[in-house]
Amino acid sequence: QVQLVESGGGLVQAGATLRLSCAASPRTFSSYPMGWFRVTRGLEREFVAAISWNGGATYYSDSVKGRFTISRDNAKNTVYLQMNSLKPEDTAIYYCAARISESRVEVPSTPEGYNYWGQGTQVAVSS
């Protein structure tokens, strides 16, 4: 019933900027903690960034800190991942995830903390 749809991926050169979007439905579910994870050739889900239900708190992995920015627009049911200074090692499939529950919870930083996922969008960074 809950759907998350990522978009904005593509093939870019190192140093480029890309912005990913994650549209959530139904509308009400956009006001819960959401995060971005990525899967590289290592096949493990790597935490990238997360944001609280109201955007008041954000979290980043050390590998993207200072380069990526997560934000959300609840009026549009959308969360964004602004990716600056992209590196080849950022190449991965990026997944949007939501922690949907009846009560507000801490923002998860592990895959197990999220219960809804998008289909992913491919990001490829060439050198």
Side-chain angles (χ1 to χ4, degrees):
Q1 185 177 15
V2 177
Q3 293 186 338
L4 303 176
V5 181
E6 303 95 334
S7 62
L11 173 62
V12 298
Q13 292 186 320
T17 294
L18 212 56
R19 189 177 77 159
L20 306 183
S21 298
C22 174
S25 64
R27 184 183 182 88
T28 303
F29 288 88
S30 66
S31 60
Y32 290 91
M34 299 183 72
W36 287 96
F37 290 78
R38 64 188 182 186
V39 177
T40 65
R41 294 189 181 278
L43 301 181
E44 64 182 39
R45 289 175 293 178
E46 175 188 351
F47 172 75
V48 177
I51 188 167
S52 60
W53 71 275
N54 62 353
T58 57
Y59 306 87
Y60 300 93
S61 68
D62 291 338
S63 62
V64 307
K65 186 177 181 180
R67 298 188 298 119
F68 291 11
T69 302
I70 187 172
S71 62
R72 67 191 303 163
D73 185 343
N74 286 352
K76 296 182 178 180
N77 307 316
T78 303
V79 63
Y80 304 95
L81 183 66
Q82 179 75 30
M83 304 185 293
N84 297 331
S85 302
L86 284 164
K87 303 176 180 179
E89 50 263 44
D90 293 320
T91 296
I93 299 176
Y94 284 72
Y95 293 89
C96 175
R99 167 62 177 181
I100 299 175
S101 61
E102 295 183 353
S103 60
R104 294 173 182 174
V105 298
E106 297 286 340
V107 181
S109 59
T110 62
E112 291 74 19
Y114 295 86
N115 50 7
Y116 291 93
W117 297 81
Q119 84 290 348
T121 185
Q122 177 75 59
V123 172
V125 184
S126 64
S127 59

